[in-house]
């Protein structure tokens, strides 16, 4: 040929306007707007009406501040689950909600007053509550827009809020169910208390931080010992890391099985004084008091052993007994099974106001709390010792030279004091201030009351619930087994009040269903504010006189609010007795929402409010550290969305092992972006390759080549595996299966082999028709399968092919024929793929050395020892599979691959090097037939 003919116009190249560059940050808002305009969520509800329902109940985030990565991870995971169940054909509604009451919001509103040097307590309650409501409304609106931007679909026009009047009425109705069944009591037990926030705290509102405290050894002079008279006049030594509790001491606890010793140190601060300590802790005590330098080698001292049981009935004097009054009373020795020899002296001072063990032991021995510490952490002004002085949690107040230890030293009772004891201590997770145990009158729900206790009911419910991962079951069991009675009262202003009337004479609360019904109706009409402005006599009715009853002023624990959501969200929407299929939150909610919901429902309904619970880990930075503004390692989800799009975040969430803590940073997001890009490229290829495809072109599987039937087999396999992963909430496995299929089975194998047929075969060629039929099947499956995760991209892909069609999110799980599954065919093609890889690896050195430019220039001689494998390779056009010029197959001897550059000429249209091509640029027989029609 004198001139080469350009056959470009005769080749069937893919055609699509679908861009490779995603531009998600700009496209996604437009897609969201279209969903809102067309009412996609409402369309989906209508489309799924009557189907089996699947309910994921949204745990309410707090309406306070912009969302963080933990919020994003949680909400995206919920949306993936809801969309996946909808894809499976379930009616899967999603009602988002917010926790609007409680201390965090109240604290923020108080801050504004503190800046103006005003006291919040001087503000009218109605005004303060209105400001809290306005603050919550503001952040509900902000967070709602941010959650929607993540692609989360739900009833955004009507979310549930704990501060809605209907919600507040339902919350108080749940409280009154506990009251009517006698599952409430008011008592003065030590609870975790924040002197800064002036309120009781739940365990879920507390975090533990390492601190350094002052440890002291204090001597109490023994004044009586009926079973061990030899210790009278000696000093019982206690050790504590909370010096501030000494002014509230009411007794000394000992271990009946512990051996104590009476000893007179010859050096140190206790020199010449008889002291009583546990035998096992003597050396450590002598070291702390300076009697010995090395606690491993105690001096040779005369000791007198005193069995613990002989301390029964003994009495001691408080070191500050000279103050009189409270301090003049003898302090009894009390047998306590919690006393150990792990640390200290083996004798524990008892302050029933400030410790659970202290309270129970003293109560059993007729010793009551004295409420010496006020809500701000100071001793009462009239308290004989240190009354009205600095807060008890002030480090300087407890220091070795602070007022407590100075007074003890002057009284001759301080034997040792050092500011070097490192330990973990509870702090309020809001104010970050240290908390104390403080006995105050509070309302409790008992865990162990009655024949069938709340604890027993809750534990049975734990056993009947599905936990994902399974190890979460034991965690919840241990928490329920060990938890104390539920403190449901708070001393705050913003929240649902404990709407009870207490008889002023008997202290009993009123249990009248008629009164309770009027209270609930008042809340329905005017919300919780109704209690603060109520005509209480009208609520009490004619049967009772307000003069005899005191309306309670405490506020309900917000965990009771959110623990009741199953009543005013699930049951109100879907019917009485209906339970959620799934609750899903972070692992910290075992002691928070999961548990409060479990206890509330167990107490009012005798069962859990959920059938299943899924727990996920926390989002950490790229180095596995907790995100912190002070560390400068916070990854802001809003910035990621603005720069890369929400689908990248969704890809990241679905690709992580979220049952554990997960990492996110630039490298991690780069990995998610790369995986997304490859998947997007697969969709782009499918759209281009299926341009102008019609049903008339479709061909039956039985008439397809083996390669196409193998892809259908892989689809059938994948269908089963993806269903299993989705039902098990294993979306990391789910996406790994999809991306591996798209990258390895399709792009690197199937597409690579069949591009020649797609481009160059005649439009009516059965092989090309089979290929495009399978591509259409793959498209229909793949775009649906990824839609729960890549919700925006799936919509973009679907709209690109069906611009006038409905949303992909109205579609259901693809119909995959189980008959496509062919294990023998699958095994055969796995072997052929491995063989193809060996050939490709043998060709690569020649490409690298530029002896050939593409595998189409290679002639391969393949020798196989395995007769079955050789037969398998002969049964298919293996040269096409390997994309080489020619492939000669020999059987016998050892496996070998020989590669040479072909002398065959290159077809001017398909670029294959074939013997039939007379010269470069001429056409092979197939291409000549296509070109000539």
């Amino acid at each position: 040929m004198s001139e080469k003919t350009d056959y470009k116009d005769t080749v069937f190249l893919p055609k699509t306007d679908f861009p490779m560059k995603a531009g998600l940050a700009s496209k996604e808002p437009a897609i969201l707007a279209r969903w809102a305009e067309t009412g996609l969520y409402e369309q989906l509800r209508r489309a799924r009406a009557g189907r089996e329902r699947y309910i994921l109940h949204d745990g309410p985030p707090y309406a306070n501040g912009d969302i963080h990565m933990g919020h994003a991870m949680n909400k995206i995971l919920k949306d993936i689950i809801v969309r996946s169940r909808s894809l499976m054909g379930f009616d899967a509604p999603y009602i988002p909600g917010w926790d609007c009451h409680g201390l965090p919001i109240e604290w923020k509103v108080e801050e504004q007053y503190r800046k103006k040097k005003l006291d919040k307590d001087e503000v009218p309650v109605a005004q303060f509550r209105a400001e809290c409501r306005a603050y919550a409304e503001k952040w509900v609106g902000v967070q709602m827009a941010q959650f929607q931007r993540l692609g989360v679909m739900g009833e955004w026009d009507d979310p549930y809020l704990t501060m809605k009047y209907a919600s507040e009425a339902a919350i108080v109705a749940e409280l009154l169910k506990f009251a009517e069944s006698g599952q409430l009591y008011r008592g003065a037990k030590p609870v975790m208390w924040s002197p800064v926030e002036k309120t009781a705290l739940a365990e879920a509102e507390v975090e533990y931080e390492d601190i350094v405290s002052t440890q002291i050894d204090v001597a109490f002079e023994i004044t009586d010992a009926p079973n061990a008279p030899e210790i009278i006049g000696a000093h019982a030594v206690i050790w504590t890391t909370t010096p501030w509790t000494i002014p509230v001491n009411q007794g000394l606890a000992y271990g009946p099985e512990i051996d104590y010793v009476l000893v007179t140190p010859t050096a140190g601060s206790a020199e010449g004084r008889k002291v009583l300590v546990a035998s096992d802790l003597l050396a450590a005590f002598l070291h702390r008091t300076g009697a010995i330098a090395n606690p491993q080698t105690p001096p040779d001292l005369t000791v007198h052993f005193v069995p613990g049981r002989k301390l029964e009935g003994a009495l001691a004097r408080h070191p500050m007994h000279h103050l009189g009054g409270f301090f003049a009373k003898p302090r009894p020795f009390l047998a306590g099974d919690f006393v150990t020899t792990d640390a200290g002296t083996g004798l524990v001072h008892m302050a029933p106001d400030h410790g659970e063990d202290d309270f129970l032991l003293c109560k059993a021995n007729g010793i009551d709390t004295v409420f010496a510490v006020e809500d701000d952490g100071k001793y009462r002004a009239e308290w004989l010792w240190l009354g009205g002085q600095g807060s008890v949690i002030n480090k300087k107040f407890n220091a070795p030279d602070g007022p407590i230890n100075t007074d003890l030293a002057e009284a001759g009772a301080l034997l040792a004091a050092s500011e070097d004891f490192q330990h973990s201590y509870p702090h309020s997770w809001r104010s970050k201030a240290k908390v104390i145990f403080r006995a105050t009158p509070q309302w409790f729900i008992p865990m162990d009351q009655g024949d069938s206790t709340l604890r027993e009911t809750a534990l049975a419910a734990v056993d009947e619930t599905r936990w994902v991962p399974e190890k979460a079951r034991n965690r919840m069991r241990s928490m329920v087994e060990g938890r104390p009675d539920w403190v449901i009262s708070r001393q705050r202003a913003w929240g649902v009040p404990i709407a009870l009337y207490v008889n002023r004479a008997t202290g009993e609360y009123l249990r009248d269903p008629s009164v309770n019904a009027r209270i609930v109706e008042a809340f329905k009409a005017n919300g919780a504010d109704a209690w603060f402005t109520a005509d209480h006599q009208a609520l009490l009715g004619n049967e009772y006189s307000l003069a005899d009853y005191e309306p309670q002023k405490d506020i309900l624990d917000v965990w009771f609010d959110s623990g009741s959501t199953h009543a005013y969200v699930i049951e109100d929407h879907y019917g009485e007795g209906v339970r959620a299929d799934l609750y899903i939150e972070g692992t910290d909610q075992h002691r928070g929402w999961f548990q409060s919901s479990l206890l509330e429902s167990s107490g009012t309904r005798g069962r859990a409010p959920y059938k299943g619970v899924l727990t996920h880990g926390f989002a950490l930075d790229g180095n596995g550290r907790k995100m912190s503004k002070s560390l400068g390692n916070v990854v802001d989800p809003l910035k990621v969305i603005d720069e890369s799009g929400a689908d990248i975040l969704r890809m990241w969430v679905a690709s992580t092992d979220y049952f554990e803590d997960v990492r996110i940073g630039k490298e991690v997001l780069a990995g998610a972006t790369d995986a997304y890009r490859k998947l997007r490229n697969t969709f782009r290829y499918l759209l281009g390759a299926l341009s102008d495809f019609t049903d008339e072109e479709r061909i039956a599987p039985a008439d397809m080549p083996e390669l196409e039937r193998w892809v259908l087999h892989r689809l059938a396999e994948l269908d089963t595996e993806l269903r299993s992963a989705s039902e098990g909430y294993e979306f990391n496995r789910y996406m790994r299966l999809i991306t591996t299929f798209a990258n390895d089975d399709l792009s690197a194998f199937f597409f690579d082999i069949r591009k020649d047929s797609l481009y160059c075969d005649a439009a009516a060629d059965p092989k090309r028709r089979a290929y495009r039929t399978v591509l259409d099947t793959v498209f229909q499956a793949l775009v649906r399968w990824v839609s729960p995760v890549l919700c925006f991209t799936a919509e973009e892909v679907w709209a690109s092919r069906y611009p006038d069609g409905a949303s992909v999110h109205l579609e259901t799980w693809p119909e995959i024929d189980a008959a496509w599954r062919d294990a023998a065919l699958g095994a055969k093609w796995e072997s052929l793929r491995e063989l193809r890889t060996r050939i490709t690896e043998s060709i690569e050195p020649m490409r690298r050395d530029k002896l050939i430019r593409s595998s189409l220039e290679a002639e391969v001689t393949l020798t196989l020892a395995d007769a079955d494998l050789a037969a398998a390779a002969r049964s298919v056009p293996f040269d096409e599979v390997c994309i080489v010029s020619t492939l000669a197959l020999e059987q016998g001897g050892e496996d070998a691959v020989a590669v040479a550059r072909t002398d065959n000429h290159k077809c001017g249209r398909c670029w294959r090097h074939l013997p039939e091509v007379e010269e470069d640029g001429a056409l092979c027989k197939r291409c000549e037939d296509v070109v000539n029609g």
Side-chain angles (χ1 to χ4, degrees):
M1 280 190 174
S2 57
E3 283 186 25
K4 289 187 179 179
T5 305
D6 187 351
Y7 296 103
K8 182 173 62 177
D9 293 340
T10 71
V11 176
F12 302 106
L13 294 174
K15 296 178 183 177
T16 180
D17 294 328
F18 187 77
M20 188 58 236
K21 187 174 181 180
L24 295 174
S26 59
K27 287 179 184 173
E28 289 172 347
I31 294 174
L32 279 173
R34 187 163 68 251
W35 287 345
E37 182 183 346
T38 59
L40 176 59
Y41 181 78
E42 292 73 21
Q43 287 186 59
L44 190 55
R45 297 282 65 74
R46 292 192 294 271
R48 297 292 188 272
R51 298 285 190 96
E52 182 181 351
R53 188 179 285 125
Y54 178 91
I55 303 170
L56 184 153
H57 181 34
D58 185 31
Y62 210 79
N64 184 11
D66 291 310
I67 67 170
H68 52 65
M69 192 57 75
H71 287 126
M73 176 181 170
N74 175 267
K75 276 293 193 284
I76 287 172
L77 189 51
K78 287 174 180 174
D79 190 60
I80 290 172
I81 292 171
V82 171
R83 287 180 186 271
S84 69
R85 285 305 190 273
S86 180
L87 182 65
M88 288 180 170
F90 288 91
D91 178 12
Y94 177 69
I95 304 174
W98 274 270
D99 211 343
C100 304
H101 293 137
L103 186 55
I105 288 172
E106 191 163 344
W107 187 252
K108 287 292 185 181
V109 175
E110 277 187 42
E111 278 184 351
Q112 304 307 312
Y113 288 107
R114 286 193 291 272
K115 288 178 181 177
K116 299 174 184 177
K117 301 190 183 304
L118 296 175
D119 188 343
K120 157 253 181 181
D121 294 334
E122 298 174 2
V123 180
V125 172
Q127 176 185 330
F128 186 79
R129 286 176 60 86
E131 291 186 40
C132 289
R133 182 176 291 275
Y135 181 91
E137 285 176 347
K138 168 195 169 184
W139 285 109
V140 165
V142 171
Q143 290 187 1
M144 183 184 296
Q146 293 169 348
F147 287 141
Q148 288 177 281
R149 181 62 187 85
L150 293 171
V152 181
M153 184 167 60
E155 292 191 19
W156 297 109
D157 292 338
D158 188 23
Y160 78 87
L161 309 177
T162 59
M163 68 179 182
K164 281 185 177 178
Y165 288 179
S167 301
E168 291 177 333
I171 292 166
V172 83
E174 292 299 303
L175 169 72
L176 294 174
K177 288 179 183 178
F178 278 94
E180 286 184 19
S181 62
Q183 293 186 85
L184 288 181
Y185 73 90
R186 186 167 63 168
K189 292 176 64 176
V191 296
M192 281 187 285
W193 183 272
S194 171
V196 172
E197 294 147 319
K198 298 181 183 180
T199 186
L201 299 178
E203 178 67 31
E205 298 171 301
V206 170
E207 59 188 9
Y208 289 80
E209 301 289 343
D210 289 337
I211 65 169
V212 177
S213 294
T214 299
Q215 56 175 325
I216 60 174
D217 289 85
V218 183
F220 285 68
E221 184 181 356
I222 301 170
T223 59
D224 195 11
N227 299 308
E230 68 275 19
I231 69 173
I232 296 174
H235 289 80
V237 182
I238 67 92
W239 170 88
T240 183
T241 60
T242 54
W244 65 268
T245 57
I246 296 293
V248 203
N249 170 273
Q250 295 204 63
L252 301 176
Y254 66 91
E257 305 304 319
I258 295 175
D259 284 330
Y260 294 87
V261 292
L262 191 65
V263 64
T264 305
T266 57
S269 59
E271 180 180 358
R273 184 189 309 202
K274 282 186 178 181
V275 293
L276 183 74
V277 296
S279 175
D280 291 346
L281 297 168
L282 174 61
F285 163 73
L286 293 174
H287 178 64
R288 285 198 302 273
T289 57
I292 58 175
N294 186 349
Q296 305 303 321
T297 57
D300 184 16
L301 294 175
T302 300
V303 298
H304 175 74
F305 284 92
V306 181
R309 64 183 180 277
K310 287 194 173 186
L311 298 181
E312 183 181 2
L315 299 172
R317 290 196 300 193
H318 193 284
M320 305 301 289
H321 61 89
H322 57 277
L323 296 176
F326 169 81
F327 297 99
K329 299 175 185 177
R331 269 42 182 176
F333 279 73
L334 308 173
D337 57 10
F338 54 84
V339 180
T340 69
T341 56
D342 293 339
T345 62
L347 294 167
V348 182
H349 98 87
M350 293 287 97
D353 285 70
H354 304 294
E356 182 78 12
D357 291 332
D358 310 46
F359 173 82
L360 294 174
L361 183 60
C362 287
K363 183 180 180 181
N365 286 275
I367 301 173
D368 295 325
T369 51
V370 293
F371 309 117
V373 176
E374 300 275 42
D375 60 3
D376 61 358
K378 296 179 181 179
Y379 299 109
R380 296 200 314 257
E382 74 278 11
W383 196 246
L384 289 175
W385 185 23
L386 304 171
Q389 294 194 28
S391 173
V392 298
I393 61 171
N394 187 300
K395 191 171 183 180
K396 291 182 179 179
F397 193 73
N398 293 273
D401 59 352
I404 296 173
N405 292 317
T406 299
D407 289 351
L408 287 173
E410 288 180 1
L414 188 66
L415 302 183
S418 60
E419 201 171 23
D420 59 0
F421 187 75
Q422 295 185 358
H423 61 124
S424 180
Y425 193 86
H427 293 67
S428 166
W429 68 266
R430 296 183 184 98
S431 67
K432 307 305 178 185
K434 288 188 288 187
V435 303
I436 61 174
F437 277 91
R438 174 177 178 253
T440 58
Q442 301 287 347
W443 287 95
F444 296 86
I445 292 175
M447 292 296 297
D448 300 301
Q449 174 181 293
D451 295 332
S452 180
T453 69
L454 179 56
R455 193 184 310 276
E456 290 169 344
T457 303
L459 287 172
V462 170
D463 291 341
E464 294 167 1
T465 299
R466 177 190 179 190
W467 297 88
V468 183
E470 174 61 30
K471 65 182 180 181
R473 181 190 309 277
N474 291 336
R475 183 174 185 187
M476 181 59 89
R477 274 198 67 88
S478 66
M479 288 189 170
V480 173
E481 286 172 345
R483 72 157 294 140
D485 291 349
W486 186 1
V487 188
I488 62 166
S489 51
R490 297 292 183 270
Q491 291 64 51
R492 306 303 294 175
W494 174 232
V496 177
I498 295 181
L500 296 173
Y501 293 105
V502 174
N503 189 293
R504 299 177 192 273
T506 67
E508 296 294 320
Y509 59 85
L510 186 62
R511 301 188 209 171
D512 187 317
S514 298
V515 174
N516 291 344
R518 287 193 286 272
I519 292 172
V520 172
E521 288 304 313
F523 275 54
K524 286 181 180 178
N526 295 298
D529 290 342
W531 187 252
F532 300 97
T533 59
D535 179 347
H536 288 291
Q537 184 59 67
L539 291 176
L540 283 167
N542 297 326
E543 297 85 357
Y544 308 98
S545 171
L546 182 59
D548 298 330
Y549 286 91
E550 178 187 5
Q552 293 303 286
K553 297 179 180 178
D554 285 346
I555 294 292
L556 263 175
D557 172 19
V558 290
W559 292 108
F560 191 95
D561 289 13
S562 59
S564 305
T565 55
H566 64 93
Y568 56 89
V569 179
I570 304 303
E571 292 188 355
D572 277 6
H573 280 81
Y574 310 115
E576 186 176 347
V578 174
R579 294 194 296 163
D581 292 277
L582 190 70
Y583 276 35
I584 165 176
E585 299 297 329
T587 54
D588 58 332
Q589 295 307 315
H590 287 98
R591 62 174 184 156
W593 187 55
F594 295 154
Q595 190 173 156
S596 66
S597 300
L598 171 68
L599 296 180
E600 201 288 327
S601 183
S602 294
T604 55
R605 291 154 177 79
R607 55 160 176 77
Y610 38 66
K611 299 176 186 176
V613 174
L614 187 153
T615 57
H616 61 76
F618 297 109
L620 308 176
D621 74 3
N623 296 314
R625 299 175 302 173
K626 183 179 179 180
M627 293 189 201
S628 164
K629 289 182 179 178
S630 60
L631 292 175
N633 64 339
V634 173
V635 180
D636 185 348
L638 302 176
K639 288 184 179 179
V640 174
I641 293 170
D642 286 343
E643 293 172 2
S644 305
D647 265 1
I648 298 301
L649 264 186
R650 296 175 69 95
M651 187 79 175
W652 164 72
V653 170
S655 301
T656 61
D657 182 11
Y658 38 77
F659 298 135
E660 305 293 339
D661 290 346
V662 299
R663 299 184 181 193
I664 184 168
K666 287 185 178 180
E667 290 185 7
V668 175
L669 284 172
T673 302
D674 186 57
Y676 170 85
R677 180 184 55 78
K678 290 177 180 178
L679 205 49
R680 184 179 181 88
N681 199 27
T682 298
F683 282 124
R684 186 170 186 269
Y685 175 86
L686 286 168
L687 288 167
L690 287 167
S691 176
D692 301 325
F693 178 81
T694 63
D695 283 342
E696 286 72 23
E697 191 178 335
R698 203 174 297 281
I699 196 168
D703 299 325
M704 292 179 180
E706 273 192 17
L707 181 57
E708 276 66 24
R709 286 189 285 116
W710 172 79
V711 174
L712 295 180
H713 158 76
R714 284 291 296 121
L715 280 174
E717 280 188 324
L718 201 58
D719 179 72
T720 301
E721 293 171 327
L722 289 175
R723 284 179 184 272
S724 171
S726 180
E727 289 168 359
Y729 310 115
E730 298 175 275
F731 292 101
N732 57 337
R733 181 162 73 95
Y734 183 92
M735 286 307 294
R736 189 167 61 250
L737 287 165
I738 289 175
T739 54
T740 298
F741 174 70
N743 297 336
D744 297 351
D745 293 346
L746 297 181
S747 296
F749 187 65
F750 187 47
F751 295 170
D752 194 34
I753 294 168
R754 283 293 187 248
K755 63 178 181 285
D756 174 74
S757 178
L758 176 69
Y759 297 169
C760 300
D761 282 350
D765 189 291
K767 184 167 69 174
R768 188 175 188 275
R769 288 175 58 197
Y771 179 53
R772 295 233 295 173
T773 300
V774 170
L775 289 186
D776 180 66
T777 305
V778 167
F779 177 89
Q780 297 294 335
L782 207 57
V783 73
R784 287 173 168 88
W785 282 336
V786 303
S787 64
V789 178
L790 304 179
C791 62
F792 293 106
T793 301
E795 187 79 327
E796 182 189 1
V797 171
W798 193 258
S800 182
R801 189 169 183 200
Y802 307 113
D804 299 323
S807 170
V808 68
H809 297 293
L810 296 173
E811 300 293 324
T812 55
W813 194 269
E815 294 183 8
I816 303 295
D817 192 339
W820 293 347
R821 196 156 185 163
D822 187 333
L825 185 67
K828 173 182 176 179
W829 276 88
E830 281 306 303
S831 296
L832 292 178
R833 287 183 72 181
E834 292 175 6
L835 194 56
R836 180 181 187 262
T837 299
R838 285 161 55 186
I839 291 171
T840 301
E841 290 173 348
S842 297
I843 293 172
E844 187 56 32
M846 295 188 69
R847 286 168 56 103
R848 191 169 56 245
D849 295 340
K850 299 183 179 180
L851 297 175
I852 59 174
R853 285 170 296 178
S854 85
S855 61
L856 287 171
E857 297 177 1
E859 289 187 352
V860 177
T861 301
L862 177 63
T863 304
L864 294 173
D866 188 327
D868 290 339
L869 186 57
R874 286 196 181 95
S875 69
V876 298
F878 204 49
D879 55 345
E880 286 185 16
V881 172
C882 297
I883 315 177
V884 295
S885 175
T886 60
L887 191 146
L889 183 60
E890 299 177 1
Q891 198 267 313
E894 295 183 355
D895 286 0
V897 179
V899 181
R901 192 182 191 288
T902 184
D903 292 328
N904 293 328
H905 293 294
K906 177 181 177 181
C907 172
R909 181 170 177 271
C910 68
W911 296 358
R912 294 184 65 190
H913 292 254
L914 300 170
E916 65 198 63
V917 180
E918 296 177 355
E919 60 180 291
D920 286 347
L923 298 181
C924 65
K925 185 176 185 307
R926 175 201 46 180
C927 289
E928 188 172 336
D929 290 343
V930 173
V931 169
N932 294 330

